[in-house]
Amino acid sequence: MSTQHHRRPTCRLCGGKRLTEVVKLVPTPPANAFVPASELDREQERFPLDVFFCEDCAHVQLLDVVDPRVLFEHYVYVSGTSPVFVRHFEDYAAFVMERFKPVAGGLVLDIGSNDGTLLSFFQKAGMRVLGIDPAQEISAEATARGIPTICGFFGADKGAEIAAAHGKAEVITANNVFAHIDDLSGVVDGVRGLLSPSGVFVFEVSYLVDVFENTLFDTIYHEHLDYHSVKPLIRFFAAKGMELVEAIRVGSHGGSLRGIAQLKGGPHAVGASVAEAVALEERLGLDRAATLAKFAADIEALGAELNAVLKSLKAAGKRVGAFGAPAKATTLMYHFGIGPELVDFIIDDSPLKQGLYSPGMHIPVVSSADGFAKKPDYLVILAWNFAKAIIDKNAAFRSGGGKFIIPIPKVEVV
Ligand SMILES: [Zn+2]
């Protein structure tokens, strides 16, 4: 077995051992492992991508854990480059300031702070800010831009270290990272030790309800260890001496959950959103493994449809490229078998990805100018959560006769 990965034997939230496999996806390399031309002859290791359901607490998760050093050290995603996310983080900071009214000048810590975009809005609102992120270049750049950022992983020890150096935190945020860390229990121990008595822990994760209802299966990749729902989280936080006070659905990543927790007995009343989310999850049957069999069937149906469309276009001699090279494209391309024989190139607006090749399949990533110069007839929008923005920005492609293919939540040619 690879030394870069292990399969955990227990549920990440409750420690239970009754785990049922509900979805089996095609193994992939790390979804963000884009490679330079100099490494094309080196085969990239692929890891299992199987989804499990905990029969004890209903948590849906991956058990195969790829070493975070393999996943995150050369992370090429920078949140500040996407205007949609900048706007999202601005609204996010405003929401936290308004709903919880943290003490002015208090500490806000963002776990997985990336380039510091979210923290910059808290800083503007008069808070003291601190980021922590494992990516070396990105954390150094954030610090240089005025957002002090520790390079490293957050856990119980780090929480105590930060509390000693900076005092207790009024707000701790963690976006998407709360689904990225194998030792969630250690993270929450760190949060509990660092949070002030009136403080809140705010996290955003993709929401199992949206993943299930819209077949967002490509959000399943090794960095995302957890597909959270509210019912298992209530139990998890309670066992950790904390309490979930809000569970709000937000639009990012095709549908996410913004959860907010405080120390047990904290000052904030539990909002109606928590009970509403549990009722919705029960109505959908997400607390039963059998329900997830439908999800697996929906994935296969979607793949058959997309393959049929692409193969007929290729047979008709059409030139097909793709637009957007997000991490989730790796899952979609591997599971649906969409490789270089169907898609010639991928356009991505991030200069950090241009000139690189897609993980494993090694499809070249090019700039818009270079991609459109190849005169594609069709472009598959792999970054489907930005479909509208991509279509609007590239109106000239459509007016010149080109068409976009949106693969998810359903296959659409526009
Ligand atoms: Zn469990």
Side-chain angles (χ1 to χ4, degrees):
M1 193 200 262
S2 164
T3 54
Q4 301 189 321
H5 125 272
H6 70 275
R7 174 168 281 192
R8 60 175 295 139
T10 57
C11 170
R12 197 168 284 108
L13 288 190
C14 78
K17 289 182 180 155
R18 298 192 304 135
L19 297 154
T20 304
E21 187 181 279
V22 286
V23 181
K24 195 169 185 64
L25 296 174
V26 170
T28 71
N32 259 312
F34 291 83
V35 294
S38 59
E39 288 177 24
L40 287 179
D41 55 350
R42 221 173 69 198
E43 199 182 327
Q44 288 175 268
E45 185 169 359
R46 298 197 288 144
F47 302 98
L49 197 53
D50 304 327
V51 182
F52 289 82
F53 173 86
C54 174
E55 301 286 353
D56 291 327
C57 79
H59 181 49
V60 174
Q61 59 202 294
L62 304 184
L63 298 176
D64 291 285
V65 180
V66 180
D67 187 335
R69 284 170 298 188
V70 176
L71 292 181
F72 296 112
E73 242 163 5
H74 300 287
Y75 203 60
V76 284
Y77 170 68
V78 182
S79 62
T81 54
S82 153
V84 177
F85 278 132
V86 174
R87 176 70 206 278
H88 172 73
F89 283 142
E90 184 171 12
D91 294 345
Y92 182 128
F95 164 81
V96 174
M97 295 301 293
E98 178 60 31
R99 165 77 170 81
F100 297 101
K101 302 194 168 37
V103 177
L107 180 66
V108 180
L109 174 79
D110 189 20
I111 303 169
S113 50
N114 203 283
D115 67 350
T117 303
L118 173 61
L119 286 175
S120 71
F121 292 111
F122 281 109
Q123 199 174 46
K124 275 184 202 144
M127 304 298 285
R128 252 183 326 129
V129 301
L130 182 64
I132 179 163
D133 197 287
Q136 290 167 13
E137 299 88 0
I138 291 171
S139 52
E141 276 166 32
T143 302
R145 284 178 43 243
I147 306 293
T149 304
I150 299 166
C151 180
F153 290 97
F154 184 82
D157 293 352
K158 211 61 156 181
E161 209 178 285
I162 292 170
H166 301 270
K168 296 254 175 168
E170 284 299 311
V171 179
I172 301 176
T173 53
N175 304 297
N176 301 305
V177 291
F178 202 56
H180 285 72
I181 298 169
D182 187 34
D183 183 15
L184 272 189
S185 177
V187 169
V188 174
D189 286 341
V191 165
R192 194 182 55 241
L194 178 57
L195 212 51
S196 87
S198 60
V200 286
F201 173 51
V202 189
F203 58 94
E204 277 192 10
V205 286
S206 39
Y207 189 25
L208 181 64
V209 165
D210 296 292
V211 171
F212 172 75
E213 285 199 304
N214 295 315
T215 326
L216 310 182
F217 82 99
D218 58 345
T219 60
I220 300 171
Y221 48 89
H222 298 103
E223 292 169 16
H224 290 167
L225 294 164
D226 297 295
Y227 301 85
H228 286 292
S229 52
V230 174
K231 201 176 173 182
L233 282 172
I234 292 172
R235 173 175 163 175
F236 170 66
F237 278 113
K240 303 299 292 178
M242 294 186 68
E243 178 181 31
L244 196 66
V245 293
E246 291 285 3
I248 299 165
R249 294 179 77 176
V250 291
S252 38
H253 294 287
S256 296
L257 177 72
R258 180 181 293 162
I260 297 143
Q262 64 180 353
L263 300 179
K264 196 170 270 176
H268 307 290
V270 177
S273 63
V274 177
E276 283 165 11
V278 172
L280 172 65
E281 291 163 12
E282 286 177 348
R283 198 160 66 236
L284 291 170
L286 290 176
D287 50 357
R288 291 189 299 278
T291 309
L292 292 150
K294 181 189 176 298
F295 179 52
D298 289 346
I299 295 169
E300 299 318 311
L302 193 65
E305 195 182 346
L306 184 61
N307 257 291
V309 168
L310 293 178
K311 283 178 180 153
S312 74
L313 291 175
K314 283 309 255 197
K318 301 295 182 189
R319 178 127 220 221
V320 181
F323 204 110
K328 58 179 172 276
T330 302
T331 300
L332 185 142
M333 297 179 94
Y334 268 92
H335 194 66
F336 289 171
I338 295 169
E341 63 295 336
L342 289 175
V343 170
D344 296 343
F345 59 88
I346 304 172
I347 295 174
D348 196 285
D349 287 334
S350 165
L352 293 168
K353 286 185 181 167
Q354 293 163 8
L356 299 177
Y357 293 79
S358 72
M361 289 185 169
H362 296 165
I363 299 171
V365 180
V366 300
S367 66
S368 291
D370 289 351
F372 286 120
K374 293 173 193 285
K375 307 237 173 295
D377 299 302
Y378 290 80
L379 288 171
V380 183
I381 301 183
L382 297 171
W384 46 260
N385 48 327
F386 297 124
K388 190 182 178 307
I390 289 169
I391 292 168
D392 289 350
K393 191 176 168 191
N394 298 286
F397 171 61
R398 285 172 84 213
S399 57
K403 287 193 183 321
F404 285 107
I405 301 171
I406 304 171
I408 284 181
K410 57 183 192 323
V411 180
E412 280 181 274
V413 181
V414 295

